[in-house]
Amino acid sequence: MKAIRAAILSLGLLAGCTAYEAIPGQPQAIGNGLSVVGEPEFNRRTGAIGRRAEFQQWTADGFELNALHLYGGIGEGETLSPVADRDNRRELPVFRANSNLAEAAEFVQASIAKLGGTALIEARDIRPIAFGGRDGFRFEFRITLKDEVERDGIAAGAVASGRLYLIFYHAPRQHYFERRKPAVERIIASARL
Amino acid sequence: MRRIPRRGFLAGALAGCADAATGAMTPVGAGYRPEAGSDEAELWRALDRMEEGTRQSRFLLREPAIVDYVRDVACRLAPEQCGDLRVYVVRTAQFNASMAPNGMMQVWTGLLLRCENEAQLATVIGHEIGHYIERHSLKGMLDRRNKATAGMILSLGLGAAGGGLGSELAQLAGYASMFSFNRDQEREADAVGLGLMERAGYPTIEAAKVWENLIAENKAMPQRERGPGFFATHPAQEERAETLRRQAAQQAGPADARQGEYLARLRPIRRLLLQDELALRQFDRSLIVLGRLAEALPEDAATQHFTGEAYRLRDQPGDADRALGMLGRAARLPDALAETQRSLGMIHLARRDQRAANAAFRRYIELAPAAQDRLLIQSFIREGA
């Protein structure tokens, strides 16, 4: 049961032990030139995750209740999960450097579904936006994991120099999604690339 | 990431040891209820609570026409048990089905997609009814190997709040994956299933085909994606197909696999089944399933579309050409999906054929003006190309 819980916590993107640090309300480097302005209501999980230093996970109320994943670039041949990359498990969709924005959005949605091990995912309002000053995409999604809890999420990103810069957020639909949504929108809007 | 255990219908080859079933028990007859205070009554009580979780699950496919159809097949096979069984169709793109001793039957959507006709569905349902009639779960519960599992189920029945852990378990593993049946029990269930099929007028040769199809699917998968040891190393499923084929040869009298009926009944959910199948990202295997379906339904736009999609998303050398061919065909069929135009546009765009991409994307938006990705797709249409 413990393994199941861990998987539900953060779509299986968490591995190892967890320590947190506060995030100051200043620009935070995520990696490869991506930075966002911190929101003090969020905390950062410390320590390198998988093989990628340029991946961060933030939460306000604990990963079960809201999780923000920030990628300072997913490169050619990499997946959404640094843990899967480390363990060389490649059932996950693999990012292609020549992806357009629709393909990148497709990659993100398919990866989240696969990580969540569920067919119950729906993306909506998939639209172009400026992300970090680049042409980017944004969409919202609703996903039901094996714990039967409905979660809502937002994903936003851009493809630049063959890398997918990405921020995605998810939280239980009841209460927690809306509660931190304004801060998440500010974080996305603050992205610089 | 967690792998859903492949047991239930597929359990036979997994249970390595062939120990004899524990004790002699009377098979279940119509309207059977366990004696109050017995171990069996305890098990039923726990399962009833799990069933409550299943009933509330968001993963249940609730289309009455589909659920009724599956129940009709079960009742046609086993009219004596019809009043005692309750059918739940679970939206999980894996091949599986199970039947618990209290009459809760789960059929996964991955099974519905994979059956080529009603007789193949009847094969799996008949097999599960076989386990039910022979009370294999109870025997399993009394068996040392399954003591821990039995304890878990019982504690659920005693303690769990409805919809909490119960539903998680019911959905996660399916009841059937909790007990492992031994090989003798699998043989027994196969034999009961075949008998039911024959009596109901189904060609029993379809039982062997179910296994042969699974073997073909599995052979198409890269080694690393095969189940943990199950298909990769075990010859048992080939033996099983062989045995079933031999037994089928003895069938006398007319039989109908009811393929037309089956395909027509599933039509309303075929698109959903295919979409979920592709989400597994096991394209080599999905292409085998899609190939069989395309043979039966050469003019089905959804089948053609998702075959094209499997190639487009697999993205190996030559796949873009294959995808373009399939999607082009799909686009010309009656009932063509709007998404086919979107996929065509993506391939044209990747090939820097902006004009063809523009045309496909325009057609997509025309066919699906309310598409969730309308704005993003519109941004790909570049004038002056």
Side-chain angles (χ1 to χ4, degrees):
Chain A
M1 221 20 66
K2 208 171 172 184
I4 299 167
R5 272 202 109 53
I8 289 164
L9 274 182
S10 197
L11 292 173
L13 289 170
L14 284 177
C17 56
T18 312
Y20 301 94
E21 65 185 18
I23 303 171
Q26 295 151 6
Q28 305 291 310
I30 307 301
N32 291 306
L34 175 67
S35 70
V36 298
V37 176
E39 285 286 331
E41 62 192 87
F42 275 85
N43 299 289
R44 177 174 20 230
R45 186 168 172 265
T46 60
I49 297 148
R51 282 197 306 215
R52 277 188 238 157
E54 66 281 12
F55 172 50
Q56 294 189 14
Q57 291 178 309
W58 297 6
T59 181
D61 306 289
F63 283 109
E64 203 157 357
L65 300 179
N66 36 45
L68 188 69
H69 309 269
L70 306 102
Y71 296 79
I74 298 171
E76 165 74 28
E78 291 183 333
T79 72
L80 201 72
S81 165
V83 180
D85 280 357
R86 183 194 61 195
D87 301 343
N88 201 22
R89 286 184 320 204
R90 293 305 178 94
E91 277 188 355
L92 287 169
V94 168
F95 181 69
R96 295 280 166 235
N98 60 1
S99 296
N100 64 43
L101 291 176
E103 288 165 335
E106 219 171 50
F107 162 82
V108 174
Q109 188 195 333
S111 300
I112 292 173
K114 186 76 186 167
L115 280 167
T118 180
L120 302 191
I121 184 168
E122 254 175 73
R124 55 179 187 272
D125 194 17
I126 307 163
R127 60 173 63 225
I129 59 162
F131 179 89
R134 312 277 184 133
D135 287 342
F137 65 86
R138 180 192 193 282
F139 65 89
E140 302 204 1
F141 59 93
R142 175 162 297 165
I143 186 169
T144 305
L145 302 181
K146 299 286 157 80
D147 63 357
E148 301 271 351
V149 175
E150 270 188 330
R151 286 170 169 79
D152 279 349
I154 302 172
V159 180
S161 317
R163 298 178 77 81
L164 169 60
Y165 294 86
L166 173 70
I167 297 173
F168 84 90
Y169 164 72
H170 57 91
R173 185 184 163 198
Q174 284 200 343
H175 184 67
Y176 287 96
F177 177 77
E178 289 296 334
R179 184 173 178 191
R180 303 298 176 188
K181 192 180 174 194
V184 170
E185 299 284 20
R186 286 196 297 273
I187 291 168
I188 292 172
S190 76
R192 290 289 164 268
L193 195 54
Chain B
M1 197 171 60
R2 194 174 181 286
R3 201 179 269 282
I4 295 173
R6 268 188 225 172
R7 297 201 197 153
F9 180 74
L10 295 182
L14 252 181
C17 49
D19 49 350
T22 315
M25 286 182 196
T26 330
V28 167
Y32 176 81
R33 306 290 306 175
E35 196 182 316
S38 64
D39 283 350
E40 193 174 15
E42 195 87 330
L43 177 65
W44 276 48
R45 204 152 62 89
L47 289 167
D48 286 345
R49 302 207 50 162
M50 281 185 66
E51 185 169 348
E52 191 49 42
T54 301
R55 198 175 288 128
Q56 292 166 13
S57 173
R58 296 184 198 278
F59 287 82
L60 270 199
L61 193 83
R62 296 179 192 276
E63 273 77 356
I66 302 294
V67 181
D68 288 350
Y69 177 54
V70 175
R71 185 184 299 110
D72 288 349
V73 172
C75 290
R76 189 182 153 131
L77 277 169
E80 304 84 357
Q81 271 72 33
C82 182
D84 299 327
L85 59 85
R86 295 163 306 282
V87 170
Y88 301 93
V89 178
V90 182
R91 197 173 150 193
T92 299
Q94 314 274 355
F95 179 106
N96 218 340
S98 67
M99 185 161 175
N102 69 337
M104 163 174 64
M105 176 178 281
Q106 288 192 5
V107 170
W108 291 10
T109 46
L111 168 65
L112 296 180
L113 176 66
R114 280 166 170 74
C115 291
E116 297 175 282
N117 51 47
E118 194 178 297
Q120 292 188 4
L121 176 61
T123 298
V124 180
I125 291 177
H127 174 95
E128 293 306 322
I129 291 175
H131 282 308
Y132 168 83
I133 291 175
E134 298 298 333
R135 301 160 91 191
H136 288 159
S137 296
L138 181 63
K139 288 171 187 169
M141 188 173 113
L142 302 176
D143 178 344
R144 190 166 41 85
R145 283 183 300 125
N146 286 316
K147 272 285 189 290
T149 304
M152 192 161 81
I153 293 189
L154 293 181
S155 69
L156 262 175
L158 298 175
L165 189 60
S167 66
E168 193 173 300
L169 270 178
Q171 159 53 31
L172 238 193
Y175 154 81
S177 61
M178 305 177 107
F179 285 113
S180 54
F181 299 124
N182 66 44
R183 229 188 269 184
D184 285 344
Q185 290 172 326
E186 294 300 340
R187 278 195 203 102
E188 200 171 19
D190 275 349
V192 173
L194 276 190
L196 296 176
M197 280 178 79
E198 191 164 3
R199 188 182 66 174
Y202 292 114
T204 51
I205 188 67
E206 295 298 330
K209 287 189 192 160
V210 168
W211 283 101
E212 287 161 1
N213 285 344
L214 282 175
I215 293 165
E217 238 184 84
N218 199 63
K219 281 189 176 149
M221 285 171 81
Q223 195 68 38
R224 64 171 191 277
E225 286 176 16
R226 295 183 193 181
F230 174 59
F231 273 123
T233 57
H234 234 283
Q237 75 278 14
E238 291 185 359
E239 281 171 38
R240 196 166 176 184
E242 184 48 44
T243 307
L244 289 166
R245 192 164 270 280
R246 227 176 20 245
Q247 287 165 344
Q250 297 156 12
Q251 185 175 22
D256 180 6
R258 296 167 65 88
Q259 182 187 38
E261 172 79 3
Y262 184 76
L263 293 172
R265 293 291 202 115
L266 287 189
R267 191 171 188 280
I269 59 163
R270 187 163 299 120
R271 189 178 163 168
L272 180 88
L273 299 182
L274 290 169
Q275 189 185 307
D276 289 356
E277 171 68 24
L278 254 61
L280 294 178
R281 315 287 298 190
Q282 297 175 334
F283 301 120
D284 297 334
R285 171 186 184 172
S286 298
L287 282 165
I288 298 282
V289 178
L290 282 157
R292 281 204 306 263
L293 200 54
E295 228 168 88
L297 295 168
E299 301 295 303
D300 183 59
T303 304
Q304 301 290 332
H305 169 81
F306 284 103
T307 307
E309 280 292 88
Y311 286 124
R312 180 176 78 86
L313 295 168
R314 188 175 71 171
D315 195 24
Q316 281 171 9
D319 279 351
D321 284 333
R322 294 184 191 103
L324 208 53
M326 295 304 294
L327 293 166
R329 252 182 66 76
R332 290 189 293 274
L333 290 168
D335 303 336
L337 275 54
E339 288 83 342
T340 303
Q341 295 296 338
R342 179 191 184 280
S343 302
L344 281 168
M346 289 295 168
I347 297 173
H348 292 313
L349 206 57
R351 300 185 158 190
R352 301 182 193 284
D353 187 347
Q354 184 69 48
R355 257 167 85 164
N358 282 352
F361 289 143
R362 282 208 186 92
R363 185 90 183 107
Y364 170 58
I365 289 164
E366 201 178 292
L367 292 170
Q372 291 293 332
D373 61 352
R374 178 190 173 125
L375 291 172
L376 188 59
I377 296 302
Q378 236 159 11
S379 74
F380 291 141
I381 300 174
R382 301 271 152 83
E383 298 306 333

